[in-house]
Amino acid sequence: AQSVTQLDSHVSVSEGTPVLLRCNYSSSYSPSLFWYVQHPNKGLQLLLKYTSAATLVKGINGFEAEFKKSETSFHLTKPSAHMSDAAEYFCVVSSYGGSQGNLIFGKGTKLSVKP
Amino acid sequence: DTAVSQTPKYLVTQMGNDKSIKCEQNLGHDTMYWYKQDSKKFLKIMFSYNNKELIINETVPNRFSPKSPDKAHLNLHINSLELGDSAVYFCASSQGMGSSSGNTIYFGEGSWLTVV
């Protein structure tokens, strides 16, 4: 079975400093992995995805994530935080077998950005 | 134009009522989904339809009934609403069975349902 664990429920950074949101996954198959962002009272927006191509994936708004199979990790990073990055971030793994197409969400990491 | 649109965005209703949430996608996708986000922000799939055929039906009370009149629409009807149904419901779509082939799943903006 597939699962995903976001190691921090809340991360707080100062504007202009780096962002690191941690995610570990478990999958019997070669997984597809995603990061989605949800701003307050808004829908889910795809930041980036990994689908067995390049292990370093670049997304929108300056975010990127690196797939590390040996560590079963897919951490999200950004060199310099902006106030508008404050939101909830979800690490997501795809499921296989009888639930193909099913996304399995992590519990989310709330990112706060201080001025 | 919004790719995946759902209405209403906000809905407050009394226990015992029946309500529907509508969803439409203009992306030409053949697969649509309903996800539920609870008060702790946890998201979980409820239903998945591919070419109007039910593919995934997770453990959801049978008070919840999805209806797909065509590939571009997947409506969610809820009978006899209960307090625990209060949540945010997200509609989504993808081409093919989305994530398993790496295809992106696109989400609507959510429908905030409050049962009082």
Side-chain angles (χ1 to χ4, degrees):
Chain A
Q2 290 76 37
S3 66
V4 63
T5 302
Q6 291 183 244
L7 298 165
D8 306 295
S9 59
H10 190 194
V11 170
S12 182
V13 301
S14 297
E15 192 174 19
T17 63
V19 176
L20 170 63
L21 304 183
R22 298 183 295 164
C23 173
N24 286 104
Y25 69 91
S26 171
S27 177
S28 305
Y29 304 86
S30 182
S32 292
L33 292 158
F34 308 78
W35 276 98
Y36 281 85
V37 61
Q38 184 179 24
H39 287 91
N41 296 322
K42 294 288 187 182
L44 292 155
Q45 182 182 19
L46 179 70
L47 277 178
L48 49 81
K49 66 178 181 181
Y50 166 78
T51 56
S52 73
T55 55
L56 182 62
V57 182
K58 294 189 184 298
I60 61 171
N61 301 335
F63 284 95
E64 61 182 38
E66 186 171 9
F67 173 73
K68 291 187 177 180
K69 187 175 181 179
S70 60
E71 298 176 11
T72 61
S73 68
F74 190 57
H75 301 334
L76 181 71
T77 60
K78 182 173 180 177
S80 176
H82 192 272
M83 294 297 290
S84 61
D85 294 329
E88 192 91 23
Y89 291 80
F90 294 94
C91 183
V92 184
V93 66
S94 59
S95 69
Y96 288 83
S99 295
Q100 272 202 349
N102 183 7
L103 293 180
I104 298 171
F105 281 76
K107 294 192 174 181
T109 298
K110 182 177 180 180
L111 176 64
S112 299
V113 182
K114 297 174 289 188
Chain B
D1 278 345
T2 305
V4 181
S5 59
Q6 48 185 114
T7 56
K9 183 163 185 175
Y10 299 101
L11 179 59
V12 180
T13 187
Q14 290 187 326
M15 284 176 55
N17 284 349
D18 302 339
K19 291 294 177 185
S20 292
I21 306 172
K22 296 185 177 181
C23 179
E24 176 182 4
Q25 54 94 5
N26 62 7
L27 298 166
H29 290 164
D30 58 7
T31 306
M32 295 185 72
Y33 312 81
W34 277 106
Y35 280 79
K36 179 180 179 181
Q37 185 176 42
D38 62 24
S39 58
K40 295 182 179 179
K41 300 273 188 180
F42 184 58
L43 274 143
K44 189 173 180 183
I45 193 167
M46 300 174 69
F47 302 102
S48 167
Y49 267 73
N50 179 255
N51 281 316
K52 296 171 54 182
E53 180 184 349
L54 180 65
I55 302 299
I56 297 172
N57 183 0
E58 294 294 313
T59 306
V60 175
N62 57 16
R63 298 182 295 103
F64 290 79
S65 54
K67 294 283 193 303
S68 182
D70 54 58
K71 285 198 315 182
H73 295 84
L74 181 62
N75 303 322
L76 183 65
H77 188 75
I78 315 169
N79 289 327
S80 303
L81 278 156
E82 300 177 357
L83 293 176
D85 297 332
S86 296
V88 185
Y89 293 86
F90 285 97
C91 179
S93 74
S94 66
Q95 185 56 37
M97 290 305 289
S99 60
S100 61
S101 55
N103 293 326
T104 299
I105 295 182
Y106 294 87
F107 286 82
E109 294 221 328
S111 293
W112 272 253
L113 172 65
T114 302
V115 183
V116 298

